[in-house]
Amino acid sequence: MEQKKAKKIDHEEYKEIYGAALCISSFKHLILSPESAMNLQASLQATIDIPRVPSLNGLIGRCSQPFEKQLTETDVNSKQCRLSINKVDVENAVMPLLKEEEDVEKGIRVKVYDANGKEYPMTFKLWAHKLHVLKEGWIEFCTDHALLAHQDFLKLWVFRNLHTQDLCFFITSRRLQEFQPIKKRRLNA
């Protein structure tokens, strides 16, 4: 019980710090010179792990901390056409960014960006009432990046587009020569 309480406080502190940083950064175009604004943006990116992709500069609003996922056979299966996302990662990274009117059961249209800034339209959805997935454009993303089960690890960020307030994902991948699934350790609550 104590562990959960401490984790929640840390998360609340993070939200407060991030909110303050976002508030300060929102003033950069109104008050600061362009040079000062760029310096502020660089210092914010140094303290918060935000994707650093030139084509996304100025688009990233509220942003989650990144999380990782090892791809499974079903994630890269062209007949499945979806990327499953762990429930805990959804609760920590996606849910805090959702608007009240957004319904994951019906599906939320999202834009997913790769490391080059290429945009892939997808839908984030609760599938079969138990599994959160990115659907529709996922197989194109998977094919474009030649992703492999068990060898490829994704790093995902979730953010709000600063201009449109649309929900977006940013995904990078890295490949290891690991051919076995790595089981996540479950912490006893």
Side-chain angles (χ1 to χ4, degrees), residues 18 44 49 53 62 71 87 96 106 140 153-154 169 173:
Y18 185 77
L44 286 174
D49 190 3
V53 177
R62 290 177 45 216
L71 290 177
K87 180 180 178 180
K106 290 180 181 175
E140 180 186 352
F153 291 75
L154 303 182
F169 286 75
S173 66

Side-chain angles (χ1 to χ4, degrees), residues 96-127:
L97 295 177
L98 291 184
K99 296 178 183 175
E100 191 174 308
E101 65 271 13
E102 292 174 323
D103 185 348
V104 292
E105 290 191 20
K106 290 180 181 175
I108 302 166
R109 297 295 300 159
V110 299
K111 291 181 179 150
V112 177
Y113 296 92
D114 69 8
N116 297 317
K118 183 176 178 185
E119 183 181 304
Y120 296 83
M122 296 187 202
T123 300
F124 176 70
K125 182 175 179 117
L126 181 61
W127 198 30

Side-chain angles (χ1 to χ4, degrees), residues 13-56:
E13 286 178 17
Y14 170 76
K15 283 174 49 177
E16 184 177 319
I17 291 167
Y18 185 77
L22 189 59
C23 181
I24 291 169
S25 70
S26 69
F27 291 114
K28 69 182 178 184
H29 297 295
L30 300 173
I31 297 172
L32 302 176
S33 70
E35 182 180 344
S36 296
M38 293 304 286
N39 290 338
L40 177 61
Q41 182 71 23
S43 67
L44 286 174
Q45 287 182 343
T47 59
I48 300 171
D49 190 3
I50 294 176
R52 289 164 182 82
V53 177
S55 62
L56 298 181

Side-chain angles (χ1 to χ4, degrees), residues 69-82 138-139 142 148-151 179 181:
K69 176 190 176 27
Q70 181 184 27
L71 290 177
T72 64
E73 294 289 342
T74 57
D75 291 326
V76 298
N77 183 332
S78 61
K79 292 178 180 148
Q80 297 277 331
C81 298
R82 53 104 177 125
W138 171 247
I139 289 303
C142 201
L148 299 172
H150 310 302
Q151 285 183 280
F179 291 93

